[in-house]
Amino acid sequence: MCKKEEFYYGKNGEPRKFDPKFRGPIHNRHCTDVLCCVIFVVVILGYIALGIVAWVHGDPRKVAYPTDSYGQFCGQKDTPNENKTILFYFNILKCASPIVLINLQCPTTQLCVSKCPDRFATYIDMQSSYRYNKSYWEYYRHFCKPGFTKPWKSVAQVMRDEDCPAMLIPSRPFLKRCFPDFSTKNGVLTVANQTTFKDGRGKTRNVTDLREAANGINNVLDARSVGMKIFEDYASSWYWILIGLFIAMVVSLLFLILLRFIAGVLFWIFIFGVIGIIGYGIWHCYWEYHCLHGIPGSDLTIYDIGFQTDFRVYLQLRQTWLAFMILLCIVEVVIILMLIFLRNRIRIAIALLKEGSRAVGYIMSTLFYPIITFVLIAICISYWAVTAVFLATSGEAVYKVMANQSLCKYANLTCYPETFNTTNITKVCPGAQCTFAFYGGESLYHRYIFIFQICNVFVFLWLVNFAIALGQCTLAGAFASYYWAFRKPADIPACPLFASFGRAIRYHTGSLAFGSLILAVVQLVRVILEYLDHKLKGSQNAFAKFLLCCLKCCFWCLEKFLKFINRNAYIMIAIYGKNFCTSAREAFFLLMRNVVRVAVLDKVTDFLLFLGKILVAGGVGVLAFFFFTHRIPVFTKEAPSLNYYWVPLLTVIIGSYLVAHGFFSVYAMCVDTLFLCFCEDLERNDGSTGKPYYMSASLHRILGKKELSPKKLMG
């Protein structure tokens, strides 16, 4: 005789198969989404291979060292430029901005020098004084091309061949490049306390002519001194910053423990506070409405006076205050009705929050799991950044013809220094030179570097999402073990966090990789859309901008939705051990059957955790403010002397917020897991002896008799 299968009904009437042996996270699991797991492993191996190839072809010295017009690194050991660590520009006026100087190539001869010029000088002045004072030449020659020993060569020929710079400007090194030594004197821009200089071509020019070429350099250089002061502040206060972060950790832990007792009190205080504030707003609007009675002009309508830029005009109208009063009354009534009709669900949400605090208390190791996620993400970021740098510097030196574009048809064409002098370019274009332009190449590898960079970004996003998914699944498995323990804490398995981590890695790597892959694809599309938006900023095509804006908005919403689905799918994977698609579907329909509870729990949890983050960051920040400003008498002598007290203060505040976020993210995952287990418990069990609830006694009491009625079984 065949055994009958038992079913239970979901909230939407959907029959679901009953598993009488279900006792929470099962141990006799099988591997899920094996194909995606294999693909994931292959992609990781390919990513490692890509990194190796990039490391073989790349040369980070191209980023660390500036490159002269001959493709040689400034300051590189065992080369003629070993002691010449700074890049000098013959004519900095040809450089449009610092970005061009640092990242691209300025269209002028660039030379490695040991130090920057410290005085104004011109080649014309040097040549005129060479006959009776050779020391002028001895100084000037350090900024000419190596091997140039003809100071008597005509100025026109020197300028044509760019053997020497036409002028020298007092400069100082920044980012290993010589920039004009700008300063401000009585609000006037100067260089070495002078407002004019000779350009080496017989003209006297104003220092402001250098502004376009070095726009923003003065601010950047000033920022360098600020940066040194900030570094000094960190060096003298790092110990106290760590103490502040430790205090934030302790306070965060205490807040989570106290939520077991004060979650309901905090929430209801806030709710009644909002009701009271809105009530006061209604009374104030009525008082203003009543006071304006009989005042000339107050009975005009908003339509009568039209649009006014001074909004205070509208406050003189009775109609404005009447509208405010009606709006606040509607909001007040809506809040009160929601509290009346949702009071039971709010009580359940608060009970789940308290239960989450109790679960975290029993499995304290979960609070430190975010450190593992942080380490994994840090490894991914480091590998991605290093690979990106090596890919970007994988090119070979490319040389271009540098000449007057209006007079030379060969200008900006690729050339080869070894054969350049044998071509007719120098004859057709007098003064043309074959100078280093950038790093690139024409080989198959170099042509696909951009594709490799996209792959680098995509795999990076995939790995980061996988690290986050692994953390969510691990925590969900640990907290599900707590919920499905019939006698708490006696039935909680030993080392639930470690066991959950092992199950996630051993059985569900494929499922976690599948969910991460979907999210990574959407994020890559968003990155591409941001790139296109950056490129189209100067475009006048309104339709293209509108379409791009719509796409960005849609994919942003899609990413948020997928994160929500993935998070709950990982919880179902941790509980049942099914594949990603099945888990996502069951999680989605389970949440839809409890959509009101989901909304209430989500908002209550968000509010309390946000309140906790503000409390931790604000409280520790206030304490740090009084300490670093020497306002605590007991610690006046211990407090360090600082250039900017806001440096360690902001570090402590931001760090405290991040510490609190790390702790509270575990708590939020705990509450979400307990909520799904709670919904599943309601649908699987009916509170009878044969199918008792696994929920805590407090939740059991809140549900009441109506929720405890037995579910009908179908034979």
Side-chain angles (χ1 to χ4, degrees):
M1 188 173 179
C2 296
K3 185 179 179 181
K4 277 188 178 181
E5 289 187 328
E6 291 187 359
F7 291 83
Y8 67 94
Y9 288 98
K11 296 293 183 184
N12 62 348
E14 174 194 1
R16 302 178 67 188
K17 189 175 179 180
F18 177 72
D19 181 9
K21 296 182 180 179
F22 177 78
R23 292 295 182 271
I26 55 178
H27 299 281
N28 53 338
R29 297 178 177 235
H30 62 277
C31 296
T32 56
D33 296 305
V34 178
L35 178 60
C36 195
C37 180
V38 173
I39 295 174
F40 184 60
V41 173
V42 171
V43 168
I44 291 178
L45 295 176
Y47 195 35
I48 295 174
L50 175 63
I52 294 173
V53 172
W55 296 341
V56 170
H57 289 85
D59 188 354
R61 293 177 303 176
K62 298 169 185 176
V63 177
Y65 299 103
T67 308
D68 65 11
S69 295
Y70 306 101
Q72 300 174 340
F73 297 120
C74 298
Q76 184 180 355
K77 292 184 178 180
D78 301 324
T79 66
N81 291 333
E82 182 175 0
N83 297 321
K84 300 177 180 179
T85 59
I86 308 170
L87 191 66
F88 170 72
Y89 298 90
F90 270 31
N91 188 359
I92 198 172
L93 292 172
K94 292 184 178 180
C95 307
S97 70
I99 302 301
V100 173
L101 299 181
I102 296 169
N103 297 326
L104 305 176
Q105 288 297 320
C106 184
T108 186
T109 300
Q110 300 159 40
L111 198 68
C112 295
V113 296
S114 57
K115 63 179 182 178
C116 296
D118 58 4
R119 68 193 74 169
F120 283 108
T122 64
Y123 188 83
I124 295 175
D125 293 341
M126 181 280 299
Q127 195 174 59
S128 62
S129 64
Y130 175 73
R131 297 177 183 176
Y132 55 86
N133 185 6
K134 291 185 172 54
S135 62
Y136 205 144
W137 161 246
E138 290 300 323
Y139 175 78
Y140 208 94
R141 65 192 295 268
H142 290 99
F143 305 100
C144 296
K145 288 182 178 179
F148 179 73
T149 57
K150 300 177 180 179
W152 55 84
K153 187 176 179 180
S154 68
V155 177
Q157 291 178 329
V158 170
M159 297 301 103
R160 182 196 65 189
D161 300 336
E162 293 202 8
D163 294 318
C164 290
M167 61 180 176
L168 297 180
I169 299 173
S171 307
R172 53 180 170 175
F174 178 66
L175 298 176
K176 298 183 179 180
R177 289 155 174 86
C178 290
F179 290 127
D181 188 7
F182 286 111
S183 61
T184 303
K185 188 174 182 181
N186 297 325
V188 179
L189 186 68
T190 64
V191 173
N193 294 324
Q194 295 189 29
T195 57
T196 60
F197 67 96
K198 296 179 180 179
D199 66 355
R201 302 177 188 272
K203 294 182 180 180
T204 300
R205 305 180 67 167
N206 196 289
V207 167
T208 55
D209 293 339
L210 294 169
R211 185 186 298 274
E212 183 179 358
N215 185 30
I217 291 297
N218 194 42
N219 293 333
V220 175
L221 292 174
D222 290 341
R224 182 178 62 172
S225 62
V226 174
M228 291 300 297
K229 292 180 180 179
I230 291 175
F231 178 79
E232 293 173 359
D233 289 343
Y234 276 126
S236 59
S237 63
W238 66 270
Y239 178 77
W240 297 104
I241 291 175
L242 291 180
I243 292 178
L245 297 181
F246 177 77
I247 294 174
M249 183 181 71
V250 174
V251 174
S252 300
L253 185 58
L254 289 176
F255 184 82
L256 290 181
I257 295 174
L258 289 175
L259 276 180
R260 185 187 308 182
F261 309 102
I262 64 173
V265 176
L266 285 177
F267 178 79
W268 289 115
I269 288 175
F270 172 77
I271 289 297
F272 286 116
V274 170
I275 293 175
I277 291 172
I278 295 177
Y280 170 78
I282 294 173
W283 175 84
H284 182 77
C285 290
Y286 173 77
W287 183 79
E288 292 283 354
Y289 176 80
H290 179 72
C291 289
L292 289 174
H293 179 68
I295 297 178
S298 62
D299 290 326
L300 293 174
T301 64
I302 297 175
Y303 179 79
D304 292 333
I305 65 173
F307 176 76
Q308 300 291 328
T309 55
D310 187 358
F311 290 98
R312 290 176 296 181
V313 174
Y314 297 107
L315 300 181
Q316 307 302 319
L317 303 179
R318 299 186 73 202
Q319 189 184 65
T320 301
W321 293 104
L322 180 63
F324 284 159
M325 184 173 62
I326 294 173
L327 181 63
L328 289 176
C329 287
I330 293 174
V331 173
E332 186 88 328
V333 170
V334 169
I335 292 177
I336 293 174
L337 289 177
M338 287 179 63
L339 289 176
I340 293 173
F341 289 104
L342 299 178
R343 64 188 184 280
N344 199 44
R345 287 177 171 82
I346 292 175
R347 292 173 62 203
I348 292 174
I350 294 174
L352 280 171
L353 289 171
K354 295 179 179 179
E355 193 70 14
S357 177
R358 189 176 294 109
V360 171
Y362 285 130
I363 315 176
M364 292 289 291
S365 57
T366 55
L367 290 174
F368 301 97
Y369 185 86
I371 297 175
I372 298 177
T373 302
F374 174 78
V375 171
L376 292 176
I377 293 177
I379 293 173
C380 293
I381 293 175
S382 301
Y383 188 89
W384 164 77
V386 172
T387 303
V389 169
F390 274 87
L391 283 172
T393 58
S394 291
E396 301 169 349
V398 175
Y399 296 84
K400 297 284 186 180
V401 176
M402 188 173 67
N404 192 316
Q405 296 186 14
S406 61
L407 302 177
C408 180
K409 63 180 180 180
Y410 297 103
N412 293 326
L413 294 181
T414 303
C415 59
Y416 302 94
E418 299 82 5
T419 60
F420 182 72
N421 292 329
T422 62
T423 63
N424 65 338
I425 297 178
T426 54
K427 298 177 182 178
V428 177
C429 307
Q433 300 180 52
C434 184
T435 60
F436 168 79
F438 56 86
Y439 289 100
E442 299 297 330
S443 66
L444 184 65
Y445 170 76
H446 293 109
R447 277 183 286 179
Y448 285 95
I449 283 181
F450 181 71
I451 303 298
F452 293 150
Q453 287 283 24
I454 293 178
C455 294
N456 184 29
V457 173
F458 174 70
V459 181
F460 162 71
L461 293 174
W462 194 358
L463 291 175
V464 168
N465 285 311
F466 178 82
I468 296 173
L470 178 62
Q472 292 176 343
C473 189
T474 299
L475 293 173
F479 292 125
S481 299
Y482 164 84
Y483 185 93
W484 296 108
F486 190 72
R487 293 174 300 170
K488 302 174 179 62
D491 291 343
I492 299 176
C495 304
L497 182 68
F498 181 78
S500 178
F501 181 80
R503 289 195 300 268
I505 289 291
R506 182 177 178 182
Y507 298 109
H508 306 304
T509 297
S511 297
L512 301 181
F514 189 17
S516 306
L517 173 64
I518 297 173
L519 194 55
V521 170
V522 175
Q523 290 173 341
L524 181 64
V525 173
R526 289 195 63 201
V527 170
I528 294 174
L529 289 175
E530 290 293 341
Y531 173 78
L532 294 176
D533 184 43
H534 178 73
K535 289 294 183 181
L536 292 175
K537 275 190 175 179
S539 173
Q540 302 299 322
N541 192 330
F543 176 76
K545 290 182 178 180
F546 172 76
L547 180 62
L548 196 60
C549 183
C550 292
L551 288 173
K552 287 170 62 179
C553 180
C554 291
F555 276 94
W556 179 84
C557 295
L558 179 60
E559 182 183 356
K560 294 296 181 183
F561 175 74
L562 287 176
K563 284 183 177 179
F564 174 78
I565 291 296
N566 284 11
R567 181 183 179 91
N568 291 282
Y570 299 146
I571 295 174
M572 298 299 281
I573 290 171
I575 298 174
Y576 292 106
K578 297 180 181 179
N579 61 47
F580 176 80
C581 291
T582 302
S583 299
R585 184 180 69 251
E586 291 185 355
F588 178 77
F589 285 115
L590 181 61
L591 293 173
M592 289 302 101
R593 291 193 296 271
N594 298 273
V595 63
V596 179
R597 284 175 179 159
V598 172
V600 173
L601 178 68
D602 185 58
K603 295 308 174 187
V604 172
T605 305
D606 286 348
F607 161 70
L608 288 178
L609 295 187
F610 175 75
L611 186 66
K613 293 175 187 178
I614 297 301
L615 177 66
V616 172
V620 177
V622 170
L623 181 64
F625 172 77
F626 283 104
F627 175 78
F628 288 120
T629 54
H630 303 270
R631 299 187 183 184
I632 303 179
V634 180
F635 296 101
T636 301
K637 295 182 179 179
E638 286 78 7
S641 298
L642 303 169
N643 297 299
Y644 308 109
Y645 73 87
W646 52 264
V647 171
L649 177 61
L650 287 180
T651 305
V652 169
I653 293 175
I654 296 173
S656 299
Y657 184 87
L658 294 177
V659 168
H661 178 74
F663 278 99
F664 294 166
S665 65
V666 173
Y667 182 75
M669 194 69 199
C670 176
V671 173
D672 288 346
T673 303
L674 295 181
F675 176 71
L676 279 183
C677 292
F678 169 74
C679 294
E680 194 70 14
D681 193 11
L682 283 179
E683 295 190 353
R684 282 184 169 275
N685 305 307
D686 56 15
S688 63
T689 306
K691 291 187 290 182
Y693 286 127
Y694 284 80
M695 67 186 70
S696 64
S698 58
L699 279 173
H700 194 281
R701 286 193 300 269
I702 291 173
L703 287 176
K705 295 179 180 180
K706 186 176 181 180
E707 293 280 7
L708 294 175
S709 59
K711 305 289 188 299
K712 293 182 180 180
L713 297 177
M714 187 175 86

